[in-house]
Amino acid sequence: MQLEAALPVGADPRRHALALAKVHAAALAGTTLPGHPRAVIGASWRRMRRLGLDPERGAPVPALAPEQLEARRRQSGLAAVLPALRGGLISLAEQAAHIMAVVDADGRVLWRDGSTAVRRRADALGFVEGVDWHENSAGTNAIGTALVARHPVQVYSAEHYVRNQHDWTCAAAPLHDPRDGRLLGAVDLSGPASTVHPTTLALVDAVAKLAEAHLRTTHLSELERLRGLASPLLTKLKGRAVIADPHGWVAASAGFVPVGRIALPNDATPGRTWLPTYGNCLLEPLPGGWLVRVADEEDAPPTRVVLDLKSSRESTLRVSGAAGTWAHRLSPRHAEMLYVLALHREGRSASELSLDLFGDAGRTVTVRAEMSRMRRHFGGILLARPYRFDDGVEVVVERPADGGEVLPYSVAPAVRA
């Protein structure tokens, strides 16, 4: 997606900050706005009002104890990319009076570095290691809003929902695990509002992509090791089988046309299971992965699909039938597409899906590529021409209990509710 800087090209920062302050005050007072916040900011403000968040101080959550912080760091999956993030941002942060922060998927600040003077200002704000900087606690801000919107965000001055952050500007980009698309956290540059610059967002986004590329290279090396270890097993087996890592990436296969990835259950365990691509299968653990053997008997088709969108942080697809229940985490894009198809059981063409997702009917190449990926994962559930759920499957959408937005990602507003 195209990056949107917080400061319009050619705008005077001080004058723009004053205009934002008037818009913010009017939004809180419920009066006619003298202008409109950017779409990403307006959507976040609506979430804050729905939560009843205090615009004066937010909903501060106590910082983690040192031992809890260390545990979070180990569990985050981000320690491996910390050198890449620091190498790309720390020198700039120190020169430009900024600090760099790395947070986990829950918005907890794991590491913070950069300008000493700005760190002292951040201390006074409560922006310290171990604190919760998700939207639900700190209001609209680059970190929390990027975690919800799942794309890079820059926030300037009174775009922050909580008033004590109006003297700040920040730019953050989410970090994803390339193995399964899971949100790992975000990296952020923050500083005094006077230091705002439109290129900061592009820099943070570039460094985040560099960190994800490092994770991808590490994963490919792990997959190659699994291939070398386990491929000889396939030569001794009869029937169809694949060897996959815990995320479903295929290292080797026998009796199949090779595929890049299969959809494994969230919590795979040894024994019999049902997979949407292959039907009834047997899972056997291997060092660093699974041996998946396809059972010979006929499998009954699935009868019920539950699209769980209750959490803004993770969406899940659960499939049930005579062979049992199977669940799989969804990427934000796949959650969006399945939600639209659940709303339109009669089906959607590529151009209609493109309009639903992006507000632009011309992005059919992206739609077809993603639908092809999903149909490889969820064979027997999704049909084409038009794209739709199988007519014999009951589809249930589980929505947020608070009545909030079903998806805070990129689906067009007309299909969000």
Side-chain angles (χ1 to χ4, degrees), residues 340-362:
V340 173
L341 295 182
L343 292 182
H344 299 278
R345 289 302 305 272
E346 74 282 3
R348 303 298 271 174
S349 67
S351 60
E352 287 172 331
L353 263 179
S354 178
L355 185 62
D356 293 331
L357 294 167
F358 309 111
D360 175 2

Side-chain angles (χ1 to χ4, degrees), residues 348-401:
R348 303 298 271 174
S349 67
S351 60
E352 287 172 331
L353 263 179
S354 178
L355 185 62
D356 293 331
L357 294 167
F358 309 111
D360 175 2
R363 298 180 62 175
T364 56
V365 172
T366 299
V367 167
R368 289 192 180 102
E370 291 294 342
M371 285 302 305
S372 176
R373 241 177 243 118
M374 278 207 293
R375 293 189 68 229
R376 284 199 299 272
H377 280 334
F378 309 132
I381 299 171
L382 295 177
L383 305 178
R385 299 182 182 176
Y387 296 119
R388 66 197 188 279
F389 281 102
D390 185 277
D391 294 338
V393 175
E394 177 192 5
V395 179
V396 177
V397 177
E398 294 186 347
R399 301 164 178 264

Side-chain angles (χ1 to χ4, degrees), residues 19-37 45 49 161 163:
L20 289 173
K22 292 178 181 177
V23 173
H24 182 270
L28 295 184
T31 59
T32 303
L33 300 184
H36 296 284
W45 285 3
R49 290 199 296 272
Y161 189 76
R163 285 194 176 94

Side-chain angles (χ1 to χ4, degrees), residues 48-92:
M48 299 306 97
R49 290 199 296 272
R50 199 160 49 238
L51 282 173
L53 194 75
D54 182 355
E56 299 300 329
R57 58 191 300 272
V61 175
L64 298 172
E67 62 275 11
Q68 294 174 312
L69 178 59
E70 284 303 318
R72 285 260 185 170
R73 287 171 171 171
R74 289 192 300 269
Q75 296 163 5
S76 68
L78 292 171
V81 299
L82 194 58
L85 297 174
R86 282 178 168 153
L89 294 175
I90 287 301
S91 60
L92 174 72

